[in-house]
Amino acid sequence: MIKTICYISNKNEDLSNDELDDLLKYLVKKNDEMHISGILMLKNNHFFQIMEGEADTVNNLYDVIKKDLRHHGLIKLLETSITDRIFEDYQTNHFSVLTDYSSLKKLKIYFDWIKEANIIAIDELIALTNNFIKYNK
């Protein structure tokens, strides 16, 4: 069974750019090994992540993320089973706001899927996500 979890959290102020770069390199390798797909954004000292994968793997990863001292104030926005991955071919190459058309299109597909599934109030999730994305750049 495939599962998705979406959360936001606050970056700890003492986390340096070098530590963020090291974290990213580790995450890209580790997520590939665990067959985790999704997105990770950092903006204004807030993380936004969507992850997809086998249910046990996602659950175990989320348990690790909850205990990670590099962030705090974690709020789970969504946790549900899914039939297909949306971000399977997404490649993270830096911590940034998603700005390319392909990545934004996948985020829209994700939100459309949530809306049709009546899982949560999608408008609230989109409003939170809009804090991370600027469409007018």
Side-chain angles (χ1 to χ4, degrees):
M1 175 175 56
I2 300 172
K3 180 177 189 170
T4 185
I5 292 180
C6 175
Y7 72 86
I8 57 173
S9 65
N10 302 306
K11 180 181 85 72
N12 281 340
E13 292 179 12
D14 59 346
L15 188 62
S16 71
N17 287 336
D18 288 339
E19 289 170 316
L20 280 172
D21 289 340
D22 291 343
L23 173 63
L24 176 64
K25 290 173 189 169
Y26 173 77
L27 290 177
V28 169
K29 181 181 178 206
K30 196 67 173 169
N31 285 349
D32 187 50
E33 290 171 3
M34 296 186 308
H35 305 288
I36 295 291
S37 52
I39 59 171
L40 175 62
M41 296 182 278
L42 174 64
K43 184 173 180 190
N44 297 330
N45 293 320
H46 301 285
F47 289 108
F48 176 90
Q49 182 167 10
I50 298 170
M51 57 184 159
E52 310 165 319
E54 292 299 320
D56 288 342
T57 305
V58 170
N59 289 334
N60 292 337
L61 180 57
Y62 187 70
D63 287 341
V64 170
I65 290 169
K66 287 189 300 188
K67 297 172 189 171
D68 194 316
L69 299 177
R70 291 173 285 208
H71 68 147
H72 62 279
L74 188 142
I75 299 171
K76 188 188 305 178
L77 303 173
L78 174 68
E79 176 179 14
T80 191
S81 298
I82 56 176
T83 56
D84 296 307
R85 294 174 187 247
I86 294 171
F87 299 99
E88 188 164 26
D89 63 347
Y90 178 75
Q91 294 292 330
T92 304
N93 55 15
H94 57 281
F95 283 97
S96 69
V97 176
L98 294 178
T99 55
D100 65 274
Y101 177 76
S102 174
S103 297
L104 289 174
K105 183 177 178 183
K106 287 183 181 185
L107 195 54
K108 183 185 180 314
I109 291 168
Y110 187 81
F111 290 144
D112 288 346
W113 170 81
I114 293 169
K115 190 173 190 173
E116 285 193 24
N118 289 321
I119 294 172
I120 62 168
I122 186 64
D123 293 336
E124 294 174 22
L125 184 55
I126 290 172
L128 286 169
T129 307
N130 280 336
N131 289 328
F132 292 89
I133 299 173
K134 290 184 180 178
Y135 290 100
N136 58 0
K137 282 195 172 183

